[in-house]
Amino acid sequence: MAAIAVIVKHQGKRYDVDLDPTSTGETFKYQLYSLTGVEPERQKILVKGGQLKDDTDLSTLKAKPGQTFMMMGTPFTGDDAGTIERPKEKVVFVEDMTEAEAAKAEGAIPAGLQNLGNTCYLNSTLQTLRSMPELQVELAKYTAPAAGATSTTSDFSQFGLGGIGGGMDLTTSLKDLYKQMSETQEGFPPLVFLQALRTAFPQFAQKSRTGQGYAQQDAEEAWSQIISQLRQKLKVKNSIADDSGAISEQTQDVSFIDKYLAGRFVSTTACDDPTAKEAGEESVEGQDVFLKLDCHISKDTNHLRDGIMAGLEEKIEKTSPVLEREAVYTKTSRISRLPKYLTVHFVRFFWKREAQKKAKIMRKVTFPSELDVVEFCTEGLRKQLVPVRDKVREIRKDEEDITRTRKRQKLAHKQEADRDAEKKAHGHVSNTADAENKKEEKKTDGDTDMSDVIFKTDAEYEAERTASILAAKKELFALIDPELAKDEGANKSGIYELRGIVTHQGASADSGHYTSYVKKQGAMDSRTGKRKEEDGKWWWFNDDKVSEVDADKIDTLSGGGESHSALILLYRAIDLPTAQEIED
């Protein structure tokens, strides 16, 4: 697209500038910096609708040749005014970066995994697990027990082959694999990890029925076995919070999985036969740890909630000590601890005896991008979660109302400015007639008269919004139960957001194809060390092919046929304010 010759006015001077429609506002500001000496961050360029932002696509301005832009701002006037400083950080262009540096750059495409022969079940599992930042951080610190490893073999870790030195330790192999994946944008072959998995669990080394290569496997089984290994091997320091929610220095070693992915059930098992109850048989209370919630699918299951609720009630046949015979019992479970990461498994596969294979239930079962699990919890946990959950919803509604009001106010202000400009241009409308028109508008317009509202600048609005958010965060933090606040790896609101999905395409677990979807994280802000706002898009990992998809694509994964349907969902607890954040 050809450059457009425009005019920029600044402090009484005119500058002829070539505007490139394919670039951004930041590039345009640097052009003006070279002409005016005003640093980009000190420039205010007025365009239709407000000020030009750094990330604005210049093509959206629809600039015409000879169009005039107004620029405000003055150069820095400190002791070093007029001097050009050397950049604090060396500027590195993408073409000059190493492969590892390019992979870590903003906008880089994450690495895919090569299919090594019916290993899509493993690739999709590994990509979804990798979406947990905490797992990558703790794996980077992990050191395998020195079970006879020599210095020579331990040196293999620099090549992503640390599993050799770790005696085919699965956790070390996973650590090395994720490290290698973080240093490339190409499809990476998970050879060492696959070998470690087949050594630890020979079921994954099963040959296909034709004898040609390895057989396809169930992604859920791979997920469960990897989780079980991590639970045994990957230990982390569990920070203990005090009553105020602040993290104390006292720590204890716990399993990473128990801290972040394990929940607890409180269950009651009672005999269905009324005779047993009349004879004095009492129900049995129990506690269980769970690493995933099962969504059972029947003819009545339409939504994820239905399947989870069905999974919390289980029929068991066992001997009654009172009746001295077999009887049916009902085991009812409720959640007493919610982990930060919640895994949900759609039980889509069942053993079909006549076909001698795991057949697939094709029924469509919808699932939400945000999951409220409060109703599945014990009464005690509900009392701790509900105040926080309700406050989150209230804050969100207030933010929506403020945004809606702001849009209306801006529109009203623009309309008022347009009317004033039109009157000045014609010059024939008197103040009296103007007042009469306004009175008439008030009579006929049933909505709130926005002209009576004092218009605020973007800066004033943003300052008020920031103060409002801080006050809301303080109120929200005060509602977090002190006991829950001490549990660093728990969900404290009962609300989860969807972060990863393993999907299956086909009619049985032993055939078809697995892929995964992972929600994109916001880019890391080098100045604040925090992530920027997310764009709502997802990465689709189809073995070594990685592409970006819109959120609408996720809505098509509910099943209903042999097309891609969700098999495993990974939810993460929504973010809540921390003691440190409130203090800062």
Side-chain angles (χ1 to χ4, degrees), residues 155-192:
D155 288 340
F156 282 119
S157 62
Q158 63 182 308
F159 304 109
L161 303 176
I164 296 175
M168 297 307 289
D169 176 63
L170 196 70
T171 306
T172 298
S173 299
L174 186 60
K175 166 188 174 178
D176 294 334
L177 174 60
Y178 282 170
K179 181 177 183 296
Q180 288 287 324
M181 291 174 68
S182 70
E183 297 173 348
T184 183
Q185 297 183 75
E186 303 298 325
F188 189 81
L191 288 164
V192 175

Side-chain angles (χ1 to χ4, degrees), residues 324-499:
E324 297 183 343
R325 59 175 174 80
E326 291 291 302
V328 177
Y329 288 75
T330 298
K331 182 180 180 180
T332 304
S333 300
R334 289 295 179 266
I335 300 170
S336 60
R337 189 221 183 223
L338 287 170
K340 180 172 183 177
Y341 288 93
L342 179 69
T343 305
V344 180
H345 169 223
F346 286 98
V347 186
R348 286 196 174 276
F349 298 125
F350 67 99
W351 183 253
K352 201 169 185 178
R353 186 177 301 175
E354 57 271 21
Q356 287 294 296
K357 67 177 183 180
K358 285 184 178 178
K360 182 178 178 181
I361 300 173
M362 304 290 188
R363 186 176 181 81
K364 180 178 180 178
V365 181
T366 59
F367 54 90
S369 58
E370 187 171 275
L371 179 65
D372 181 349
V373 296
V374 170
E375 66 172 314
F376 307 133
C377 299
T378 61
E379 189 63 34
L381 184 55
R382 277 188 222 169
K383 289 179 180 178
Q384 294 173 315
L385 298 174
V386 167
V388 181
R389 181 198 65 181
D390 291 350
K391 187 63 179 178
V392 168
R393 290 175 174 173
E394 179 187 325
I395 291 171
R396 288 177 177 176
K397 184 179 183 301
D398 289 345
E399 287 181 346
E400 289 175 1
D401 291 343
I402 291 171
T403 302
R404 194 180 300 114
T405 301
R406 176 62 176 169
K407 286 180 179 178
R408 289 182 60 199
Q409 189 189 52
K410 274 192 168 185
L411 178 61
H413 182 71
K414 183 180 180 300
Q415 290 172 342
E416 185 73 19
D418 290 345
R419 281 195 296 267
D420 290 344
E422 186 178 350
K423 290 169 187 175
K424 287 178 182 178
H426 290 82
H428 65 271
V429 180
S430 67
N431 292 334
T432 305
D434 184 36
E436 289 299 323
N437 287 338
K438 284 189 175 181
K439 285 181 182 179
E440 191 63 30
E441 286 175 10
K442 275 191 176 185
K443 291 177 184 177
T444 56
D445 189 359
D447 291 338
T448 303
D449 185 11
M450 298 304 293
S451 63
D452 290 340
V453 180
I454 299 175
F455 182 77
K456 297 171 185 172
T457 65
D458 285 341
E460 290 173 330
Y461 169 74
E462 195 59 36
E464 284 191 7
R465 182 174 176 272
T466 301
S468 175
I469 290 174
L470 178 59
K473 282 184 176 181
K474 288 181 178 179
E475 291 179 24
L476 185 57
F477 179 76
L479 290 172
I480 299 175
D481 186 271
E483 287 301 313
L484 279 182
K486 294 178 182 179
D487 191 346
E488 191 183 3
N491 183 328
K492 303 168 182 63
S493 68
I495 304 175
Y496 286 95
E497 58 175 339
L498 187 62
R499 301 303 302 184

Side-chain angles (χ1 to χ4, degrees), residues 10 27 103 129 133 170 205 214 233 261 283 285 292 306 330 393 399 416 458 470 488 503 517 535 537 565 584:
H10 175 245
T27 303
L129 287 172
L170 196 70
Y214 292 95
K233 298 290 185 70
L261 282 94
S283 58
E285 305 289 330
K292 59 182 173 65
D306 306 330
T330 298
R393 290 175 174 173
E399 287 181 346
E416 185 73 19
D458 285 341
L470 178 59
E488 191 183 3
T503 68
Y517 293 80
D535 62 9
K537 295 183 182 296
S565 54
D584 292 342

Side-chain angles (χ1 to χ4, degrees), residues 203-358:
Q203 71 192 79
F204 297 108
Q206 179 185 356
K207 296 288 186 178
S208 67
R209 293 181 180 180
T210 62
Q212 301 294 320
Y214 292 95
Q216 177 69 285
Q217 299 289 340
D218 186 343
E220 189 276 327
E221 291 180 3
W223 178 287
S224 296
Q225 297 293 21
I226 293 171
I227 291 293
S228 69
Q229 279 289 294
L230 291 175
R231 191 181 185 199
Q232 294 176 35
K233 298 290 185 70
L234 189 59
K235 304 296 181 182
V236 299
K237 295 291 184 182
N238 189 36
S239 302
I240 302 173
D242 57 26
D243 292 337
S244 68
I247 302 299
S248 69
E249 294 182 358
Q250 296 179 332
T251 58
Q252 57 184 358
D253 286 339
V254 297
S255 162
F256 173 88
I257 299 300
D258 286 341
K259 179 176 179 178
Y260 289 109
L261 282 94
R264 279 194 300 272
F265 281 137
V266 170
S267 61
T268 302
T269 305
C271 186
D272 292 355
D273 194 327
T275 308
K277 295 178 183 178
E278 293 168 3
E281 183 172 342
E282 297 181 352
S283 58
V284 178
E285 305 289 330
Q287 291 192 17
D288 301 290
V289 173
F290 69 87
L291 301 178
K292 59 182 173 65
L293 291 181
D294 285 330
C295 175
H296 292 272
I297 302 174
S298 68
K299 61 181 178 63
D300 300 319
T301 308
N302 297 309
H303 189 267
L304 180 66
R305 178 210 168 271
D306 306 330
I308 292 177
M309 189 60 80
L312 295 178
E313 289 202 2
E314 182 183 2
K315 294 294 183 181
I316 303 171
E317 192 171 335
K318 63 177 185 175
T319 302
S320 167
V322 173
L323 301 177
E324 297 183 343
R325 59 175 174 80
E326 291 291 302
V328 177
Y329 288 75
T330 298
K331 182 180 180 180
T332 304
S333 300
R334 289 295 179 266
I335 300 170
S336 60
R337 189 221 183 223
L338 287 170
K340 180 172 183 177
Y341 288 93
L342 179 69
T343 305
V344 180
H345 169 223
F346 286 98
V347 186
R348 286 196 174 276
F349 298 125
F350 67 99
W351 183 253
K352 201 169 185 178
R353 186 177 301 175
E354 57 271 21
Q356 287 294 296
K357 67 177 183 180
K358 285 184 178 178

